[in-house]
Every structure is written in C-alpha cells, then in structure tokens.
C-alpha cells in the first residue's frame, strides 16, 4: 500500500483526463498536484519536489519528453511514469531508455494504474536505498582505510623504534634515504603516488636489520664474509616482516626486498638485472649507497666527502646502478633538489 504522505504530480493538457487520474490516485491515498503542461510541472517541482510524476507525452510548451529529460537532470530522485495513447507506445518505450520508470496507456484501468505506480515507487525506493547504502559503505570503507593506515604506520613505527635501539645509525640513515630517493623520483617526474611509496620505502628499507645480530650490526671496521652474508639477509627478512602490512604499498615493499640488487645482476637477494629490478628499488639503491658513503657506515669503512661520493656513484653507473637513475641523481644535485652538502639528521 502507499504511504500516508504519498504525493504525486499529474501532468496532462486535457483537464478531463487529468481529473480521472487525480481521482484515481486520491482514492489510493495520494495527495495530488496538477499541471497542464511541462512548464507548469517544472514550476511546481521547483517549489515542491515530488517522489512521483505522471506525465502525458503530447502537451503544448514543454512536452512530456522534455519534462522527463529535465526532471531526470534536476530531480533524479523523482520517479517519472509516462502516460501514453496506444499509438505512442513506441515513444513511451524510448522514454524508458531516457530514465522514465514506466508508462501507462490510456484509457486507464484502476488495477493497472495501481500496479504500475506501486512498482514505480518500489523501484524508486530500492534505487534510493541502494544509493544510500553505497554512500554509507564508501564512507565506512574510507574510515577503515584511514584506520588501517594509522595502524600500519604505528606498527612500522614500533619496528623502526625497535631497530633504532639496536642500531642508532639506521634512523637518520632511513630518513635521509627517504629524502634523497624522493628528490630523485621527483626529478624523474614520477607520479605522486609512486613518490609517496618511494618515501615510505626509504623509511623502512632496512627494517630487516632487526634480525641481524647486534655485534655484527655495530662492528667497527671490516666484516668477515660470514658477517657480511648475515647482514645481507636483511632485505629478505624485512620483506617477510612487511609483506603482510604493505599490501597497499607494493612499491615500498619492492624497495625493502630489492634495494641491494645491482644493475649488472650481481646484487641480492634475487640477482635481478636491469629493468627487471623495480624502478623504485633502483632509485633507492643510489640514494642508499650515496648516504652510506657520506655518513660512514661501520662496515663500509671511512666516511667519504660529498664530491668523492658523487664521483663514486657516477663510476658505478651501468654496473651497480641504473644509468637513468644516476643521471636523475646528478640532475637533482645540479638543481639543488639534493643539497650538495646533505645535512646530517
Ligand atoms: Fe639495506
């Protein structure tokens, strides 16, 4: 049955036919407004939005088709049912394609009008409910995505803090690598989402060192072969730790795994070569090595000057590093995007 507050607008240029329909609708509990053509109908709709419009096709001034078009555009929540003579059925069907909910043929039969109107309103209700549900769902998904990101960053943060306790060098190094990689990525004009993931990847690229023995991590001077092999497990260890967390940031995850790969295929852990190494990891590799050289990592030996480190990066272009990334790195230094004297953090 129709609700108490059911309202409808009946649009027909023949007063007698309009009256028949209005009576019929009123008997079914509707409050009706009447209009003699499309222009009048639009005026009424502007003052008083209606859930339902029953409209004739042929009318002076604005006809039924134009009224349908404008109603769909301005009042998409209004259900429009077209009224047609039997001869107009083809036009009525094309009105369905334009968004009419249904059509009625003259002369009217009480049961048919009732069935079509009930159906049209039910369809409208479902459409509105569906849209409302969709909107609420999208809102909930967005809230949960934000929450997930917060939780993710909090867990990464706690891992980073745990690593800092073991290896005080790492935090400053990770932030510097994040900044350097970001400057290279921006110089290469990569899209903003990729830059964001490269920044994140830089921050967490060494997280796997949490699994490296402290004595090895902080050993002054050169490492034995076994110690070096042990330290170089960190890309895979980090990848295993972060894989369940970094579903939304696969490029950051690639950085964790592949930042020690080499352009010539002699890197670790997968011995990838050239373009097979994800670009984000090729970028981080340059940033990581440059920072390690300029900040003096225990197992890397003495700290280098900036100019010597730049020369070393250039020397390794095409062997350790992707030449295109090295060019971007040099351009970033040239433009000042990477300060020639990188401030210690
Ligand atoms: Fe590393």
């Amino acid at each position: 049955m129709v609700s108490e507050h059911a309202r409808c607008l009946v649009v027909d240029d023949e007063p007698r036919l309009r009256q028949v329909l209005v009576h019929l609708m009123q008997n079914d509990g509707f409050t009706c407004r009447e209009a003699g053509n499309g222009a009048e109908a639009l005026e009424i709709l502007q003052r008083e939005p209606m859930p339902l419009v029953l409209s004739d096709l042929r009318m002076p001034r604005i006809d039924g088709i134009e009224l349908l078009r404008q109603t769909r555009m301005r009042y998409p929540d209004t259900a429009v049912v077209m009224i047609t003579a039997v001869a107009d059925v083809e036009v009525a069907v094309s009105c369905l394609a334009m968004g009419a909910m249904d059509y009625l043929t003259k002369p009217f039969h009480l049961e048919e009008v009732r069935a079509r109107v009930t159906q049209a309103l039910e369809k409208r209700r479902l459409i509105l409910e569906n849209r409302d549900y969709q909107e609420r769902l999208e809102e909930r998904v967005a809230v949960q995505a934000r929450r997930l990101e917060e939780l993710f960053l909090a867990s990464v943060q706690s891992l980073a803090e745990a690593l800092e306790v073991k290896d005080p060098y790492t935090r400053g190094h990770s932030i510097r690598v994040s900044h350097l990689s970001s400057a290279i990525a921006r110089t290469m004009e990569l899209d903003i989402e990729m830059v964001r993931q490269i920044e994140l990847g830089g921050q967490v690229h060494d997280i796997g060192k949490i699994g490296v023995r402290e004595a090895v991590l902080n050993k002054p001077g050169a490492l034995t072969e076994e110690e070096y092999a042990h330290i170089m497990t960190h890309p895979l260890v980090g990848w295993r730790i972060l894989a369940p967390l970094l579903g939304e940031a696969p490029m950051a995850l690639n950085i964790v795994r592949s930042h020690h790969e080499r352009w010539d295929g002699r890197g670790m852990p997968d011995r990838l070569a050239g373009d097979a190494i994800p670009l984000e990891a090729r970028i981080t590799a340059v940033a990581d090595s440059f920072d390690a050289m300029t900040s003096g990592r225990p197992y890397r030996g003495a700290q280098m000057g900036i100019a010597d480190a730049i020369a070393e990066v250039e020397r390794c272009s095409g062997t350790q590093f992707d030449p295109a990334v090295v060019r971007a790195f040099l351009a970033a230094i040239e433009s000042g995007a990477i300060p020639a004297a990188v401030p210690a953090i």
Side-chain angles (χ1 to χ4, degrees):
M1 279 320 284
V2 287
S3 85
E4 278 176 58
H5 306 291
R7 289 171 299 123
C8 79
L9 172 62
V10 178
V11 194
D12 201 316
D13 57 332
E14 289 180 53
R16 202 181 53 78
L17 278 176
R18 206 163 65 222
Q19 280 309 310
V20 172
L21 204 50
V22 165
H23 279 134
L24 230 150
M25 296 301 287
Q26 280 173 342
N27 283 342
D28 257 14
F30 279 85
T31 304
C32 295
R33 294 276 178 276
E34 295 176 45
N37 58 55
E40 277 179 35
L42 286 171
E43 277 168 30
I44 292 173
L45 285 175
Q46 197 177 9
R47 286 199 306 272
E48 197 181 341
M50 291 279 172
L52 178 65
V53 172
L54 304 176
S55 172
D56 192 15
L57 269 174
R58 295 160 196 257
M59 293 179 295
R61 295 177 68 194
I62 292 180
D63 69 5
I65 290 178
E66 181 58 15
L67 173 62
L68 169 65
R69 202 183 62 78
Q70 296 214 23
T71 306
R72 294 298 301 148
M73 203 167 63
R74 296 194 215 169
Y75 315 104
D77 294 348
T78 297
V80 182
V81 174
M82 307 307 292
I83 306 165
T84 69
V86 175
D88 288 330
V89 165
E90 227 169 284
V91 183
V93 170
S94 71
C95 286
L96 295 181
M98 290 172 64
M101 209 63 100
D102 208 341
Y103 63 89
L104 287 168
T105 44
K106 300 177 206 175
F108 306 120
H109 299 289
L110 175 63
E111 283 312 316
E112 198 202 346
V113 173
R114 186 176 281 156
R116 295 291 177 97
V117 162
T118 307
Q119 254 179 35
L121 287 174
E122 175 67 3
K123 198 168 159 194
R124 170 182 181 268
R125 187 181 66 78
L126 288 175
I127 290 170
L128 293 184
E129 263 183 27
N130 203 12
R131 194 184 59 195
D132 190 47
Y133 175 75
Q134 201 70 34
E135 279 169 7
R136 269 183 294 135
L137 196 67
E138 276 165 21
E139 207 175 294
R140 269 174 45 198
V141 168
V143 167
Q144 285 185 353
R146 273 200 300 277
R147 181 77 192 118
L148 268 177
E149 193 168 326
E150 280 168 19
L151 283 173
F152 159 70
L153 289 175
S155 43
V156 168
Q157 192 61 36
S158 63
L159 279 173
E161 278 163 16
L163 180 56
E164 267 171 56
V165 173
K166 280 184 82 162
D167 181 16
Y169 163 85
T170 302
R171 181 164 183 273
H173 168 68
S174 298
I175 291 173
R176 288 191 302 270
V177 168
S178 174
H179 289 332
L180 288 165
S181 313
S182 173
I184 299 170
R186 285 171 202 271
T187 303
M188 295 177 90
E189 298 180 347
L190 302 181
D191 72 65
I192 192 69
E193 172 57 21
M194 189 161 180
V195 172
R196 199 184 66 83
Q197 289 202 38
I198 285 172
E199 287 170 355
L200 177 63
Q203 283 169 33
V204 297
H205 72 285
D206 272 347
I207 213 94
K209 285 185 180 167
I210 208 141
V212 173
R213 294 193 298 274
E214 237 161 295
V216 177
L217 212 49
N218 295 309
K219 182 183 173 183
L223 300 176
T224 66
E225 212 169 293
E226 185 278 326
E227 286 165 340
Y228 185 71
H230 176 55
I231 221 166
M232 290 313 283
T233 57
H234 76 272
L236 264 187
V237 171
W239 182 81
R240 281 195 202 108
I241 292 172
L242 290 179
L245 293 169
L246 276 181
E248 294 297 313
M251 288 186 256
L253 195 56
N254 286 341
I255 288 170
V256 175
R257 185 180 181 115
S258 303
H259 69 276
H260 286 292
E261 296 291 352
R262 292 172 52 108
W263 183 250
D264 59 13
R266 292 170 49 234
M268 295 183 194
D270 301 305
R271 299 183 75 84
L272 301 175
D275 289 344
I277 307 164
L279 175 59
E280 54 273 22
R282 281 180 261 147
I283 290 172
T284 308
V286 171
D288 185 24
S289 297
F290 178 72
D291 186 70
M293 287 187 273
T294 51
S295 60
R297 191 72 178 121
Y299 57 87
R300 284 280 189 169
Q303 183 175 350
M304 260 187 207
I306 299 282
D308 288 344
I310 294 170
E312 181 63 11
V313 168
E314 268 190 288
R315 194 183 65 78
C316 297
S317 173
T319 50
Q320 187 175 351
F321 304 127
D322 174 356
V325 174
V326 172
R327 278 197 298 277
F329 166 76
L330 296 174
I333 286 176
E334 187 76 20
S335 72
I338 294 176
V342 181
I345 297 169

